[in-house]
Amino acid sequence: MRLHTLHLQAFGPFAGTHTVDFDALTRDGLFLLHGDTGAGKTTVFAAICVALYGEPPTDRKLKLRSDHAPADLLTEVALEVTLAGKRLRIRRVPAQPKPKVRGEGTTQQAAETHLSEWTTDPFGQGRWEALSRSHREAADEIKELLGMSRQQFCQVVLLPQNEFTKFLRAGASDRKELLGKLFHTHRFGSVETWLAGRKNTLATQRDEARTAVMRLTERIQQQAGDDLEPEQGAPLASDPATLTGPAVAWATALHAKAAAHERDAATAAVRAETELAAFRDSERAVRDLASHQEAHRQARHQLATLDEQTDRQADLGRQRQDALQGQKVAPLLKAATAAADRSVRAQEEERHARTLLDPEQATLDAAELTRAGQHLRADIGALRALLPDEAALQQHRTDLRKLDDERQEFAQDLRDAETWLNDAPQRRTELRARLEAARAAEEASREHSTAMTLLATRMDAAKRRDAHVERIGKAEQALFAAQTAASKAAQEHIDIRRRRTDGMAAELALQLADGEPCAVCGSPVHPNPAAPHPDQPTAADERAAETRHTQAQDTQRTLQDALQQLLEQAAAARGEAGGDTALADLTSEHTALGTRLAAALDAAADAGPATEELHSLEQQHIQTDGARTTAATRIAAADAGYDLLATQVQELDQKLATARAGAPNLPLRITHLTQAADRLTTAAEHAVAAFRTAAEHGQVTGQAEQAARSAGFDSLDAAARALRSDEEIRALEEEINQWRERRAVATARLQEPELAAAAGMPPADLEEATAQLDAATSRHTRAAAEAAHTAERTRALAGLLARLATHIKTLEPLEHAYRTVDHLHGLVNGTSPSNQLRMQLEAYVLAARLEEVVAAANTRLTRMSEHRYTLVHSDDRASHGARSGLGLKITDAWTGKDRDTDTLSGGESFFASLSLALGLADVVTAESGGRALDTLFIDEGFGTLDEDTLHKVLDVLDDLRAHDRTVGVISHVPELRRRITHRLHVRKTTTGSTLVQKTEAAQ
């Protein structure tokens, strides 16, 4: 990434328009941004972040719109930058209010993004070509070229205040995510993902194959039943090893036993069939004898029964003869009966019709009834002429009720509107109070959130402090024991040396030889050499005591150094924790703050609803006031219409009262009159019909009596009783003929030779023969069913055995493939016991990159720390089962010990982090597939360095110029203004900040 120009307008503290020429500012590879506190130094780098990502750095709540800018000057940022070889111009206009073009007030300016690329045409002419105006497309393009998210950019390239050491102290997972994007190692993660997916796929296929095998074994076991017991047990789902070879052996044994059962059952079925044939022949002979004996008995009984019916048959013959004579007078009898029925029916209808008339009309004859009906129909015509007036009266009454309902509705609307308007001021006051409370709660939540962050830091430090204090107690005890042991070893060493010195004469005497001079006096004669004491120590004893003394002293010094380091760490943690405040108190305070923060957030969440309800209240106030005016107007109009219509209703009602004659309405009066006229007409018609049918009945009855006497009957009733229908006559004839035929058949049946012979034999025992046949049939059925069952079971088991073998051939390679992929996945994922470091494949690759980064960082860190500190990449196995491979430690050459990076002081953390960032940029730039990070920004941190360390850090930064690297620095340190030639000075005034570029060193 190489910056060219930055254009600011109404941005942050900068009220006007400013342009930063980075090409000129970074000519020497190092430039300084300085100015008064609060002038807006960090805002310049925040503007770069806004241009690239559309938002400021993740740790800042920067207000983009300048409070000093004129209302008509839009806030915008434009950056010209080269990313991955492409020169781009990015212009962003954030969402903001702006003055309306017409009228007073403001309108909302929508956020805009303009992305352009510098291109050259075939003639060598350069121009800016627009790429996109979409926020999403521009963000995707820039992120693809940079290869980092906004948070990663702020950790690696743009290092703001309080964020400088995050990468140095980051956890392994955070380092992995960042390094993976910079070095494009996610393809190794894809290998792990593919193996996981392949493992899951194979597991699914294997489980399906296992399930298929288990289903087949269950079907085989079900098909075999309880009477087949294999030599080995059935396969178990809980033991997959039984689902392959053992399953085939088990199924084969079941099939063999089923075949043996089939052969035995077939032999038994043949024997049962032979026995059944013999009993069937015997039962057939007994059944034939019983049938002949029963037929002879029934024929004899039938003939006796028919002889008993001789008198009835004679009576049936006489009935048939009378019926034939009655058919001759049947038409006249029928006509006389019909005439009598018509006469009776007509008289009954006349009587019923007269009961419906008024008493004075019931005695009128037919002509008088007709004239009375005609008079009533004339009155009905006059009443029908008045029906329109009554319809109009009903409509007017309906309209009156509607007007009255409307008047009541308008009156209720008026009362509701006045009630709502009377209550509105109180509701408005309550909503405004809610809004103020929500805004106060929002401000309180921000304060609580900041306090919780600080308190969480103190709690972490308190935990470390308490852990260090506990270790200090144990270290002091160990040191006291070591000091005691060292004193004891020293005393022992001194005592052995003294006793050896006291017995030195005896030790020398042991070395004397006759004739050789003494080493002390030189005499070759040794008349009285000294004798050693019994517990005389030797030189070896003295050396052993001295060794023990030296080892005890080393142990004491080691424990003293460890105790001193623990004391330093405890002091640092105590400082971060704010003293010796108990962790429980800090935790309690943190919990209380969390409760207050949750309550404040809940209260602050009411701001939106309260604002919406207040706006809705104002809108409803306007609507309700208009509704009150409308309701009052409508009430007055409805009252006037009601009075006019009531007068019209009264006039019409008086006019129609006489015509109704007491009826509720004219249609009902007309209906009553119409019904009365209809009843008069009906009664007249029935009177005429009754007279006519009586005359017809007398004439037809005389004709029928004369015909009956001619046919031999005494009266019409006798002729009527003799009448039979054609079906009844045929039935009489058929019954007589059937009796004669059945008697002839029964007589012939008794004369048959077979029946006569069977009647002379003893009675047949059919029940015994049938019982023997049923028993044989049952035995044959059971034997045949058993044979069929065993044959079917054998065939089914054979088919299932073949299918089982096929499924097992499918399962076995799946089992093998799953075991292989599972092992590979565990190895790549770091969960396999074979991967002793529990290191993932991507982490393994990144560990090599991190080693290169550490090596590049140490070339600068050793200079900055005067060869005291070096970074060390650690791939030791993490504790508690965590993943390994991307750990960082710091080696202190003064102690020879490795330390955690968070034990460094503020200044040490600064130059260690700076070295790491520069090393990361070197490796990424050298990596062919990486992104070239040739620009680095450092926001403060130099004030934590002493003078000598500051010079060493600046010497390292000066070396970057030879590698075409650019470093921008923000600092208040005067020495930097003297050392760095190219500077950007930010000045603050009451009307907004300004920018000035300088190219000379400050004096």
Side-chain angles (χ1 to χ4, degrees):
M1 181 184 72
R2 176 71 67 183
L3 304 180
H4 300 292
T5 60
L6 174 66
H7 174 78
L8 302 177
Q9 180 173 292
F11 188 86
F14 301 101
T17 301
H18 303 274
T19 300
V20 180
D21 186 358
F22 281 106
D23 287 333
L25 193 62
T26 61
R27 186 171 293 113
D28 287 345
L30 184 64
F31 69 92
L32 174 67
L33 180 60
H34 63 97
D36 297 333
T37 300
K41 302 183 297 298
T42 305
T43 304
V44 175
F45 295 112
I48 297 173
C49 188
V50 170
L52 291 173
Y53 294 97
E55 296 181 13
T58 54
D59 67 327
R60 304 199 61 196
K61 295 182 179 179
L62 179 65
K63 182 180 180 182
L64 303 184
R65 175 70 182 170
S66 175
D67 293 331
H68 301 285
D72 58 348
L73 185 65
L74 286 178
T75 297
E76 69 173 57
V77 178
L79 177 68
E80 289 187 23
V81 60
T82 297
L83 300 176
K86 291 184 178 182
R87 181 157 181 164
L88 304 175
R89 180 169 65 190
I90 311 164
R91 175 173 170 265
R92 294 189 186 267
V93 179
Q96 57 192 294
K98 67 177 181 180
K100 291 183 178 179
V101 178
R102 298 180 181 84
E104 300 295 331
T106 61
T107 185
Q108 187 68 13
Q109 165 70 39
E112 296 180 5
T113 298
H114 302 269
L115 179 63
S116 304
E117 181 181 2
W118 181 261
T119 60
T120 304
D121 60 21
F123 302 101
Q125 299 295 322
R127 62 184 178 86
W128 289 105
E129 180 179 350
L131 294 181
S132 176
R133 298 187 63 177
S134 166
H135 302 302
R136 175 64 62 85
E137 292 178 358
D140 292 344
E141 176 70 15
I142 294 169
K143 187 175 181 180
E144 175 66 22
L145 295 175
L146 272 174
M148 289 179 287
S149 66
R150 178 167 59 108
Q151 183 177 6
Q152 294 163 345
F153 179 81
C154 294
Q155 288 181 345
V156 177
V157 179
L158 180 60
L159 306 175
Q161 298 175 8
N162 302 323
E163 294 286 334
F164 197 74
T165 61
K166 274 193 173 180
F167 183 73
L168 176 68
R169 297 177 178 176
S173 60
D174 295 333
R175 287 199 190 100
K176 176 184 175 184
E177 181 179 359
L178 174 62
L179 294 174
K181 286 183 174 293
L182 292 175
F183 292 109
H184 290 288
T185 58
H186 294 301
R187 60 187 182 277
F188 298 102
S190 300
V191 173
E192 178 185 340
T193 302
W194 183 87
L195 284 173
R198 180 60 179 165
K199 174 184 172 182
N200 292 336
T201 301
L202 286 174
T204 301
Q205 295 174 352
R206 180 205 62 188
D207 292 342
E208 290 176 354
R210 285 180 177 178
T211 302
V213 170
M214 281 305 303
R215 285 185 185 142
L216 280 175
T217 58
E218 290 170 358
R219 289 186 59 189
I220 290 173
Q221 198 165 19
Q222 181 181 10
Q223 190 69 39
D226 297 333
D227 55 335
L228 295 184
E229 296 181 359
E231 296 178 359
Q232 56 268 38
L236 300 175
S238 58
D239 187 4
T242 64
L243 299 181
T244 52
V248 174
W250 169 78
T252 303
L254 282 179
H255 179 260
K257 286 203 170 188
H261 281 229
E262 179 187 2
R263 291 191 294 272
D264 294 342
T267 302
V270 171
R271 289 197 301 269
E273 185 176 3
T274 302
E275 181 186 32
L276 176 63
F279 279 105
R280 186 180 290 116
D281 294 341
S282 176
E283 188 270 344
R284 187 179 298 110
V286 174
R287 183 175 298 277
D288 290 343
L289 176 61
S291 176
H292 290 160
Q293 290 177 344
E294 177 64 19
H296 185 273
R297 185 189 63 78
Q298 289 181 356
R300 187 172 62 250
H301 175 74
Q302 185 179 8
L303 182 60
T305 302
L306 290 173
D307 288 342
E308 292 174 356
Q309 297 177 0
T310 302
D311 294 339
R312 171 176 168 74
Q313 293 299 319
D315 182 61
L316 290 177
R318 288 190 297 272
Q319 291 181 19
R320 173 178 174 278
Q321 184 62 32
D322 290 342
L324 291 175
Q325 291 297 324
Q327 283 184 340
K328 297 178 180 180
V329 296
L332 293 175
L333 289 174
K334 185 176 181 181
T337 302
D341 292 340
R342 287 195 297 272
S343 177
V344 172
R345 189 165 51 251
Q347 291 173 2
E348 179 63 26
E349 289 174 352
E350 178 186 10
R351 185 192 61 77
H352 176 70
R354 289 182 180 275
T355 59
L356 299 178
L357 299 176
D358 293 336
E360 64 273 12
Q361 298 172 341
T363 58
L364 299 178
D365 59 18
E368 291 171 342
L369 290 173
T370 300
R371 287 193 296 270
Q374 292 173 350
H375 288 312
L376 286 180
R377 296 191 188 279
D379 293 339
I380 291 171
L383 292 176
R384 291 186 185 277
L386 295 176
L387 285 176
D389 290 341
E390 188 170 53
L393 177 61
Q394 295 298 328
Q395 182 62 42
H396 290 342
R397 285 175 174 168
T398 301
D399 293 343
L400 273 179
R401 288 193 294 273
K402 286 178 62 178
L403 281 174
D404 189 52
D405 292 341
E406 290 177 357
R407 289 194 306 171
Q408 293 178 6
E409 290 178 1
F410 295 152
Q412 184 62 40
D413 292 344
L414 181 60
R415 288 192 296 272
D416 292 345
E418 289 176 346
T419 300
W420 192 93
L421 291 173
N422 291 334
D423 296 341
Q426 177 64 27
R427 295 176 61 191
R428 186 180 293 105
T429 301
E430 293 174 355
L431 287 174
R432 287 175 176 168
R434 279 177 56 194
L435 186 58
E436 290 300 325
R439 290 172 176 169
E442 184 177 4
E443 182 63 29
S445 68
R446 287 195 289 269
E447 296 175 359
H448 294 335
S449 180
T450 302
M452 284 188 69
T453 301
L454 296 175
L455 194 57
T457 303
R458 291 180 62 195
M459 288 171 61
D460 292 339
K463 292 177 183 177
R464 296 199 306 275
R465 176 201 65 198
D466 294 346
H468 291 328
V469 168
E470 182 178 355
R471 290 197 291 270
I472 286 172
K474 296 179 181 178
E476 288 176 343
Q477 295 176 2
L479 178 60
F480 177 75
Q483 288 173 341
T484 302
S487 298
K488 182 178 179 181
Q491 184 63 38
E492 181 183 358
H493 182 208
I494 293 171
D495 181 63
I496 290 176
R497 177 178 291 176
R498 179 184 57 76
R499 288 192 291 112
R500 184 185 173 214
T501 302
D502 292 342
M504 185 60 72
E507 184 177 341
L508 292 174
L510 293 175
Q511 300 175 1
L512 295 177
D514 292 338
E516 294 182 0
C518 176
V520 178
C521 64
S523 174
V525 179
H526 316 296
N528 189 21
H533 296 292
D535 58 347
Q536 175 71 32
T538 64
D541 294 334
E542 183 179 357
R543 286 194 300 273
E546 182 180 7
T547 300
R548 290 194 294 273
H549 183 207
T550 301
Q551 291 175 346
Q553 287 178 326
D554 292 342
T555 301
Q556 179 180 348
R557 282 194 296 272
T558 300
L559 291 175
Q560 284 176 338
D561 293 342
L563 178 60
Q564 182 61 32
Q565 184 176 4
L566 285 174
L567 290 171
E568 292 175 359
Q569 293 174 350
R574 184 176 290 105
E576 294 181 20
D580 292 324
T581 305
L583 176 61
D585 295 339
L586 293 175
T587 303
S588 177
E589 184 179 354
H590 188 272
T591 303
L593 267 177
T595 302
R596 291 197 294 273
L597 175 60
L601 290 174
D602 290 340
D606 193 38
T611 301
E612 293 178 1
E613 290 180 27
L614 185 59
H615 177 71
S616 176
L617 180 67
E618 298 300 336
Q619 296 295 324
Q620 191 172 359
H621 187 281
I622 296 172
Q623 296 174 0
T624 305
D625 188 56
R628 178 177 61 181
T629 303
T630 302
T633 302
R634 290 179 175 177
I635 286 174
D639 287 342
Y642 186 87
D643 294 340
L644 177 61
L645 198 58
T647 301
Q648 295 176 358
V649 168
Q650 185 177 5
E651 293 174 353
L652 281 174
D653 190 53
Q654 293 174 355
K655 177 181 177 181
L656 296 173
T658 304
R660 294 192 193 100
N665 51 54
L666 282 180
L668 188 58
R669 173 63 176 164
I670 292 171
T671 300
H672 290 164
L673 292 178
T674 301
Q675 291 173 350
D678 291 341
R679 287 195 295 271
L680 288 170
T681 302
T682 301
E685 291 174 352
H686 286 316
V688 173
F691 178 79
R692 185 183 67 252
T693 55
E696 292 176 354
H697 176 253
Q699 181 181 1
V700 173
T701 301
Q703 294 175 355
E705 289 177 348
Q706 184 178 358
R709 284 191 295 270
S710 299
F713 294 106
D714 297 336
S715 64
L716 287 178
D717 292 338
R721 287 193 299 270
L723 284 179
R724 296 286 189 275
S725 65
D726 293 341
E727 289 77 7
E728 290 174 334
I729 294 173
R730 284 195 295 271
L732 289 173
E733 292 176 348
E734 184 176 356
E735 183 176 356
I736 294 171
N737 294 332
Q738 286 180 352
W739 176 81
R740 293 172 179 171
E741 291 175 358
R742 287 199 299 271
R743 193 174 186 284
V745 169
T747 302
R749 183 70 167 162
L750 287 174
Q751 295 174 356
E752 289 181 2
E754 292 180 351
L755 298 185
M761 296 176 66
D765 192 354
L766 182 60
E767 183 177 354
E768 176 65 21
T770 302
Q772 293 176 354
L773 177 61
D774 290 343
T777 302
S778 297
R779 290 192 294 273
H780 176 264
T781 300
R782 288 194 298 272
E786 179 66 17
H789 168 68
T790 55
E792 177 62 26
R793 180 172 62 181
T794 303
R795 287 193 298 273
L797 287 176
L800 291 173
L801 176 60
R803 292 177 59 189
L804 179 65
T806 301
H807 281 75
I808 289 176
K809 288 181 181 178
T810 303
L811 174 61
E812 288 176 339
L814 288 174
E815 293 278 7
H816 176 72
Y818 175 78
R819 289 193 295 269
T820 302
V821 173
D822 180 54
H823 176 71
L824 287 175
H825 177 257
L827 196 64
V828 170
N829 190 37
T831 57
S832 171
S834 302
N835 191 336
Q836 298 180 359
L837 293 179
R838 294 180 57 80
M839 188 184 297
Q840 293 175 284
L841 178 61
E842 184 178 1
Y844 178 80
V845 176
L846 289 177
R849 295 291 188 271
L850 186 58
E851 287 180 350
E852 298 175 5
V853 171
V854 168
N858 284 333
T859 60
R860 299 180 176 93
L861 179 58
T862 53
R863 292 177 57 189
M864 295 181 188
S865 65
E866 293 184 323
H867 298 277
R868 178 180 179 183
Y869 294 121
T870 54
L871 286 166
V872 178
H873 163 242
S874 172
D875 57 4
D876 293 338
R877 181 166 180 172
S879 60
H880 305 295
R883 300 301 175 85
S884 311
L886 297 178
L888 277 181
K889 290 186 177 297
I890 197 84
T891 298
D892 189 344
W894 291 4
T895 64
K897 305 288 186 180
D898 289 342
R899 297 164 52 184
D900 290 334
T901 55
D902 56 3
T903 63
L904 296 174
S905 65
E908 292 169 342
S909 295
F910 171 77
F911 62 69
S913 300
L914 179 59
S915 300
L916 190 60
L918 294 174
L920 180 63
D922 288 342
V923 174
V924 171
T925 302
E927 175 69 25
S928 60
R931 299 288 189 264
L933 303 180
D934 47 10
T935 302
L936 181 68
F937 300 100
I938 306 170
D939 189 353
E940 295 296 354
F942 292 91
T944 61
L945 305 177
D946 57 67
E947 185 175 358
D948 291 339
T949 305
L950 176 62
H951 283 292
K952 292 180 177 61
V953 171
L954 289 176
D955 289 341
V956 171
L957 295 180
D958 283 338
D959 291 343
L960 296 176
R961 304 178 186 182
H963 298 85
D964 196 22
R965 190 71 55 79
T966 298
V967 178
V969 175
I970 297 177
S971 181
H972 297 87
V973 179
E975 179 62 23
L976 293 177
R977 293 198 293 272
R978 291 191 292 270
R979 288 284 302 268
I980 300 177
T981 303
H982 291 77
R983 293 180 286 118
L984 185 63
H985 186 203
V986 184
R987 297 173 180 171
K988 69 177 181 180
T989 66
T990 58
T991 59
S993 299
T994 60
L995 292 170
V996 178
Q997 290 189 211
K998 298 182 178 182
T999 57
E1000 74 280 355
Q1003 300 299 321

